[in-house]
């Protein structure tokens, strides 16, 4: 009996301890939430700090709360419209004495987004307010922003080397052959290069020709933007003969940058902090180099989106297009279609703006979203499409629903083509002594057979289905753009275009950003742009996920390590590229069989991998290390 009572007391003690731990965790999270929650009332005189330790995106991906609790975390992402709105407010806000750009860990962004933020920084500077930038080593994207600053600071131990667009792309054909995998590829489009890594060991001449054209245009635009912002900077030698420049400086990249006018000041973070303190003031009793700070999250909370006037619905299609449901950061056909239909059910929208920022994906999901948007058109709502960083393949498929299409000169669009990939493993199984057999009642029994391969009838049917999908694609484009099928087929074939060329070809109507599209939608609805506001049709993140995200964000403000010197930065970028490549392999193997997707889009907008890619890389590296 004593043994039973002792065991019972032990169990009760364990239970009480677990309850206590749970309560401590709960109150700890609650305290973290209250401490981390953006405080709109905390805005006082100081420097608005944009510590961009992640990429600038159209729609941030919500963090995984369970991964966060286990210490996994995720790379932060910054919403484009929040940054631009904050900068425009800061330009007229007397409390904001200066704007600080902390770009040490900046993960980049697509050219269109960087141009929009750069223009907003210039508007702040044009009011007479100083804009100061700091980094140990600027990336191409980071420097595109920093060029608009009134003072560009850099660590004397750092250095900036410009890379330009381009680099290596992984091709998996050799590995696939060694493993015995049979990649059955069905496609239409001479220049539809997304399948080439699975069918070739190098880029085809046609694909390489198109990529060179696109990259040359984007690189020329980068040079023009930087030269306009920094007319006295001598950056061309760093693009054409960087080795000679750095050798002449005896390897001191920072001094070479300073002499060329690429940066204005060399100094440590302490030096930079003292300079900002001269402009923004310093709190009493704090360490040297500390200055009065306005956090971006607090400033965004203090300047919410306007709600006065009639509603112009804004539907955001940002990320990879997938079948079914999705969270922010990807585009599920069912999720987006429901957002549109729910918005229409309220019957208070005066027009619909479709903001597209996607490299494409599932053809089925693209069509589902297009049909939902057509339903808005059936209710007599004007439909205006605003292309952001990219609207390629499936992204352009959706855009064909619009009455008018806006884009930026740096928008990446086109890639009108379609493909499908089905892997089978009959040869792989033979390598380890496994075979397959069975009976068929029809030529399609058990097809596609991943153990025994596809039949000729299956290949014929799949290729015919892909060709039918391509006909649907170019038909939609032809009807929307008032072109002949022959003309669309000529400019299609999987080619990728910059926004300027796309406008010349008739794929785009006008240049302009999201606000231009909202203004146009208001005019088409018979309203004045000043009398409307944007009503974003989007799914709100859960309260628990928001709490975890806020707690994590609060811990990033001061404790993050810097990006390191130029060489560390380059190594980190290449690791991110590899992570993204592995993620693409996974997505092509687990995503929709028939896709309209752009390969070239992935190599332009910075190096930040998609959610889950970094973890996948860690698993692969750990496997090889065993």
């Amino acid at each position: 009996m004593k043994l039973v009572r002792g065991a019972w007391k032990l169990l009760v003690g364990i239970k009480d301890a677990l309850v206590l731990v749970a309560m401590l965790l709960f109150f700890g999270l609650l305290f973290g939430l209250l401490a981390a929650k953006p405080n709109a009332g905390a805005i006082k005189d100081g420097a608005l700090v944009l510590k961009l330790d992640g990429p600038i995106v159209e729609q941030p991906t919500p963090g995984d709360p369970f991964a966060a609790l286990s210490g996994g975390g995720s790379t932060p992402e910054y919403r484009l419209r929040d940054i631009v709105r904050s900068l425009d407010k800061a330009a007229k806000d007397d409390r904001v004495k200066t704007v600080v750009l902390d770009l040490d860990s900046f993960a980049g962004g697509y050219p269109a987004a960087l141009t929009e933020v750069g223009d907003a920084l210039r508007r702040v500077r044009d009011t007479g307010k100083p804009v100061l930038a700091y980094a140990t080593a600027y990336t191409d994207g980071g420097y595109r922003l920093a060029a608009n600053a009134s003072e560009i600071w850099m660590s004397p131990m750092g250095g900036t080397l410009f890379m330009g667009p381009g680099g290596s792309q992984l091709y998996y054909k050799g590995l696939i052959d060694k493993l015995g995998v049979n990649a059955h590829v069905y496609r239409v489009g001479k220049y539809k290069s997304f399948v080439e890594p699975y069918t070739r060991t190098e880029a085809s001449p046609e694909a390489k020709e198109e990529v060179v054209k696109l990259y040359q245009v984007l690189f020329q635009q980068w040079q023009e933007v930087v030269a306009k912002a920094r007319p006295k900077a001598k950056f061309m030698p760093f693009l054409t003969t960087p080795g000679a420049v750095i050798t002449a400086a005896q390897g001191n990249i920072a001094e070479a940058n300073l002499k060329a006018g690429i940066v204005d000041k060399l100094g440590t973070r302490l030096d930079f902090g003292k300079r900002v303190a001269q402009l923004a003031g310093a709190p009493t009793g704090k360490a040297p180099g500390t200055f009065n700070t306005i956090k971006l999250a607090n400033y965004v909370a203090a300047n919410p989106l306007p709600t006065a006037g009639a509603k112009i619905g804004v539907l955001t299609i940002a990320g990879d297009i997938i079948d079914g449901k999705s969270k922010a950061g990807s585009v599920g056909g069912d999720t987006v279609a429901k957002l549109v239909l729910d918005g229409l059910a309220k019957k208070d929208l005066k027009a619909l703006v479709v903001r597209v920022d996607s490299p494409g994906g599932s053809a089925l999901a693209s069509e589902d979203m297009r049909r939902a948007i057509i339903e808005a058109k059936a209710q007599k709502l004007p439909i205006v499409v605003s292309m952001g960083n990219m609207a390629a393949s499936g992204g352009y498929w959706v855009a064909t629903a619009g009455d008018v299409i806006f884009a930026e000169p740096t928008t990446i669009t086109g890639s009108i083509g379609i493909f499908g990939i089905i892997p089978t493993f009959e040869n792989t199984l033979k390598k380890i002594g496994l075979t397959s057999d069975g009976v068929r009642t029809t030529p399609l029994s058990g097809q596609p057979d991943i153990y025994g391969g596809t039949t000729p009838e299956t290949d014929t049917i799949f290729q015919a289905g892909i060709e039918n999908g391509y006909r649907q694609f170019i038909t939609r484009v032809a009807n929307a753009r008032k072109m002949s099928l022959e003309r669309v087929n000529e400019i299609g074939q999987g080619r990728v275009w910059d926004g300027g060329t796309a406008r010349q070809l008739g794929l785009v109507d006008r240049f302009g950003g999201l606000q231009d599209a909202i203004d146009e939608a208001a005019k088409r609805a018979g309203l004045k742009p000043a009398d409307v506001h944007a009503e974003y049709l989007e799914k709100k993140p859960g309260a628990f996920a928001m709490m975890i995200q806020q707690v994590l964000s609060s811990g990033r403000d001061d404790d993050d390590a810097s990006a390191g010197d130029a060489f560390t930065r380059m190594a980190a970028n290449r690791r991110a590229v590899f992570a993204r490549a592995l993620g693409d392999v996974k997505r092509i193997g687990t995503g929709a069989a028939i896709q309209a997707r752009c390969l070239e889009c992935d190599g332009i907008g910075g190096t930040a991998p998609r959610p889950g890619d970094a973890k996948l890389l860690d698993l692969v590296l750990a496997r090889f290390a065993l």
Side-chain angles (χ1 to χ4, degrees):
M1 184 64 69
K2 290 182 177 180
L3 180 62
V4 174
R5 284 198 297 267
W8 177 252
K9 289 181 179 180
L10 178 62
L11 291 175
V12 171
I14 293 174
K15 182 263 295 182
D16 291 342
L18 290 175
V19 170
L20 178 60
V21 170
M23 290 179 64
L24 289 173
L25 284 174
F26 172 77
F27 285 110
L29 286 173
L30 183 60
F31 175 78
L33 171 62
L34 294 175
K37 185 177 181 180
N39 184 2
I43 309 300
K44 298 180 180 179
D45 290 3
L48 175 61
V49 178
L50 274 62
K51 181 178 173 62
L52 302 179
D53 51 349
I56 297 173
V57 299
E58 189 69 33
Q59 190 175 60
T61 303
D64 182 349
F66 297 102
L69 288 173
S70 64
S74 59
T75 301
E77 297 177 336
Y78 297 89
R79 192 192 301 269
L80 172 62
R81 70 171 184 255
D82 289 343
I83 296 176
V84 173
R85 186 172 77 256
S86 296
L87 288 172
D88 284 337
K89 292 289 185 180
K92 305 173 183 177
D93 191 340
D94 292 337
R95 296 170 299 177
V96 179
K97 304 304 180 183
T98 180
V99 171
V100 170
L101 279 175
D102 188 337
L103 299 170
D104 234 357
S105 300
F106 184 48
Y110 281 85
L114 298 181
T115 298
E116 193 166 348
V117 175
D119 290 344
L121 289 167
R122 174 60 65 170
R123 290 194 291 272
V124 174
R125 184 177 169 183
D126 288 344
T127 65
K129 289 187 179 181
V131 178
L132 278 66
Y134 188 91
T136 306
Y138 291 97
T139 61
D140 291 14
Y143 193 77
R144 189 170 190 148
L145 299 182
N148 294 281
S150 47
E151 295 180 21
I152 302 178
W153 284 66
M154 190 173 68
S155 168
M157 299 298 293
T160 294
L161 296 172
F162 300 117
M163 310 295 289
S168 296
Q169 162 73 40
L170 279 179
Y171 286 78
Y172 315 113
K173 175 63 174 171
L175 175 61
I176 287 173
D177 289 344
K178 285 186 177 181
L179 295 176
V181 178
N182 191 354
H184 301 268
V185 175
Y186 315 93
R187 72 169 182 174
V188 178
K190 181 180 180 182
Y191 300 92
K192 194 65 180 174
S193 58
F194 198 90
V195 299
E196 290 192 352
Y198 306 92
T199 61
R200 299 177 59 92
T201 58
E202 59 184 10
S204 67
E206 295 85 358
K208 188 169 289 188
E209 173 189 349
E210 292 303 307
V211 173
V212 167
K213 289 179 182 178
L214 176 64
Y215 284 6
Q216 284 178 338
V217 171
L218 295 178
F219 192 36
Q220 181 63 36
Q221 290 172 341
W222 180 91
Q223 294 178 62
E224 291 172 356
V225 167
V226 171
K228 181 179 179 181
R230 305 281 295 183
K232 296 181 180 180
K234 300 175 182 178
F235 59 85
M236 283 306 297
F238 286 84
L239 301 177
T240 56
T241 58
V245 173
I246 304 307
T247 299
Q250 296 182 330
N252 193 329
I253 304 175
E255 283 292 341
N257 293 156
L258 182 63
K259 289 180 179 179
I262 291 172
V263 299
D264 299 306
K265 302 282 186 180
L266 297 182
T268 64
R269 278 195 172 273
L270 174 61
D271 300 323
F272 181 71
K274 289 181 177 180
R275 170 58 180 150
V276 178
Q278 293 174 353
L279 301 169
T284 57
K286 295 293 184 179
T290 306
F291 53 86
N292 294 331
T293 298
I294 301 173
K295 294 184 179 181
L296 177 61
N298 290 342
Y299 202 70
V300 170
N303 294 280
L305 291 166
T307 57
K311 295 180 180 179
I312 302 295
V314 179
L315 176 70
T316 303
I317 298 176
D320 296 330
I321 298 175
I322 61 175
D323 294 327
K325 298 180 179 180
S326 65
K327 298 179 181 179
S330 60
V331 189
D334 291 348
T335 297
V336 173
K338 186 175 185 303
L339 290 173
V340 177
L341 298 178
D342 287 349
L344 294 177
K346 297 177 181 178
K347 299 186 182 301
D348 58 354
L349 298 180
K350 302 303 181 182
L352 181 65
V353 172
V354 182
R355 176 69 167 179
V356 183
D357 187 11
S358 172
S362 167
L364 173 62
S366 300
E367 175 62 9
D368 288 345
M369 291 186 290
R370 189 194 72 88
R371 290 296 296 271
I373 296 168
I374 291 297
E375 183 63 26
K377 184 177 290 188
Q379 294 189 20
K380 309 301 183 182
L381 265 66
I383 310 296
V384 179
V385 173
S386 170
M387 292 182 175
N389 296 308
M390 53 188 164
S393 290
Y396 194 81
W397 186 307
V398 177
T400 60
D403 301 320
V404 60
I405 297 178
F406 283 80
E408 302 283 5
T410 49
T411 297
I412 303 164
T413 188
S415 195
I416 299 171
I418 191 169
F419 68 89
I421 299 178
I422 296 179
T424 59
F425 303 93
E426 64 273 21
N427 296 327
T428 306
L429 295 176
K430 288 178 183 178
K431 289 178 178 289
I432 58 175
L434 292 177
T435 57
S436 63
D437 195 9
V439 296
R440 296 188 179 95
T441 55
T442 74
L444 299 180
S445 295
Q447 290 295 308
D449 188 347
I450 64 170
Y451 302 130
T454 59
T455 64
E457 288 84 356
T458 301
D459 292 336
T460 299
I461 291 171
F462 281 2
Q463 181 61 35
I466 293 295
E467 292 174 0
N468 178 58
Y470 181 69
R471 281 194 297 272
Q472 292 184 51
F473 198 164
I474 63 174
T475 298
R476 280 152 180 65
V477 175
N479 292 338
R481 308 309 302 166
K482 296 179 174 56
M483 298 181 184
S484 67
L485 286 173
E486 293 75 17
R487 176 56 177 163
V488 177
N489 184 50
E490 179 185 348
I491 64 177
Q493 295 293 324
R495 288 185 178 91
V496 181
W497 310 103
D498 63 278
T501 305
R503 186 181 180 187
Q504 294 175 5
L505 293 171
L507 297 176
V508 168
D509 294 302
R510 305 180 197 173
F511 288 148
L514 177 58
Q515 189 58 52
D516 297 304
I518 294 172
D519 292 347
E520 176 66 20
K523 294 175 183 176
R524 287 175 176 257
L527 301 168
K528 295 180 180 179
D531 295 336
V532 305
H533 74 272
E535 184 75 12
Y536 287 88
L537 309 180
E538 54 191 17
K539 186 178 180 181
K540 306 298 182 183
F544 181 65
M546 289 181 65
M547 178 181 72
I548 296 298
Q549 196 69 25
Q550 289 164 3
V551 172
L552 288 176
S553 299
S554 68
R556 283 196 300 262
D557 289 342
D558 303 309
D559 298 331
D560 288 347
S562 67
D565 58 25
F567 305 104
T568 304
R569 164 72 73 171
M570 282 189 266
N573 286 350
R574 294 308 97 192
R575 187 181 188 277
V577 169
F578 187 32
R580 194 157 179 167
L582 289 176
D584 283 339
V585 174
K586 178 184 176 183
R587 281 183 284 274
I588 200 67
T590 58
I594 300 177
Q595 298 197 29
R597 184 175 167 83
C598 166
L599 176 68
E600 295 84 353
C601 298
D602 288 342
I604 298 170
T607 57
R610 291 181 175 84
D613 290 355
K615 184 181 294 185
L616 178 62
L617 174 60
D618 290 339
L619 290 173
V620 171
L621 293 177
R623 180 65 177 171
F624 278 106
L626 293 177

